[in-house]
Amino acid sequence: MRQAKQRLRAEALARRDAMGEAARIEASLAVADRCADLVVMEPGSVVSGFLPIRTEIDIRPLMMALADRGARLCVPAIVEDLLQFRELLRGARLQPQGFGTYAPGPDAAILDPDVMLVPLAAFDQSGGRIGYGRGYYDAAVAKLQEKGKAPRVIGVGFAVQEVEAVPTEPHDIPLHAIVTEREAILCDGP
């Protein structure tokens, strides 16, 4: 199972890496438009996003559009090998988190997301997701569920990252939806 996931991850990331910069920018903007329509939320709802690394999709325009609609934004920080969602305010000073990621410092408010926009290494049409192999998001969703929260988990990525089928394990949390520049896929979710 692990080797199958590693192979699918490597193949999908190679296809993503092969996209030109202009294609990634255009696709990121298309995803922002498509996803903004999909995310239904009340003002004050907490939405977690992420700041892009390497050739990852850039959802900062989407995050700002959601903030303009009244969302409280947060991004993950890695704390003791777990994700902690820290409030992201315009102009906030960011600190390196490892893996090329950044997040607000430890003085930022810690929030529980109502909607989670999560990065993808690979995905399938049924809501299966392969991340970067550490299980951070699966653990974060499980922890929120233990607290009685039921965040809507939406994977965002490029269409080239789609695979036929993602092998799943009991700890893998399925997505409610996946948004690419090509389509929005509604799934059963957790």
Side-chain angles (χ1 to χ4, degrees):
M1 177 86 63
R2 187 177 197 185
Q3 289 176 336
K5 283 185 176 182
Q6 287 174 340
R7 180 182 54 76
L8 290 171
R9 179 184 302 112
E11 291 169 357
L13 291 178
R15 290 190 302 272
R16 184 183 82 184
D17 291 347
M19 291 176 70
E21 184 177 6
R24 282 195 312 275
I25 290 169
E26 288 301 318
S28 293
L29 293 172
V31 167
D33 289 342
R34 187 180 309 281
C35 199
D37 294 337
L38 183 70
V39 176
V40 177
M41 52 160 225
E42 298 292 322
S45 295
V46 177
V47 177
S48 71
F50 57 91
L51 303 176
I53 59 172
R54 299 183 292 275
T55 58
E56 202 166 62
I57 192 162
D58 186 351
I59 64 165
R60 290 176 291 186
L62 169 61
M63 292 168 58
M64 289 303 101
L66 295 172
D68 290 343
R69 287 178 26 203
R72 288 183 72 188
L73 299 178
C74 58
V75 293
I78 302 167
V79 179
E80 296 177 8
D81 226 22
L82 295 172
L83 294 186
Q84 182 182 79
F85 295 92
R86 295 181 180 170
E87 187 168 24
L88 179 64
L89 300 171
R90 286 187 171 125
R93 174 171 255 149
L94 302 176
Q95 298 180 341
Q97 295 294 301
F99 304 105
T101 64
Y102 288 83
D107 55 333
I110 298 168
L111 305 175
D112 289 336
D114 300 305
V115 176
M116 298 175 73
L117 303 171
V118 299
L120 308 164
F123 68 92
D124 66 24
Q125 288 277 324
S126 68
R129 172 188 176 271
I130 296 175
Y132 295 109
R134 290 286 184 83
Y136 285 128
Y137 278 98
D138 293 321
V141 172
K143 188 174 179 179
L144 288 165
Q145 290 172 338
E146 287 171 9
K147 294 167 88 174
K149 305 282 183 180
R152 183 163 169 77
V153 185
I154 301 171
V156 287
F158 300 116
V160 298
Q161 294 172 257
E162 183 176 348
V163 298
E164 183 67 29
V166 169
T168 58
E169 300 175 79
H171 69 272
D172 290 328
I173 304 284
L175 302 168
H176 288 101
I178 301 156
V179 181
T180 72
E181 74 278 16
R182 194 176 301 153
E183 64 186 329
I185 304 161
L186 301 180
C187 313
D188 292 336

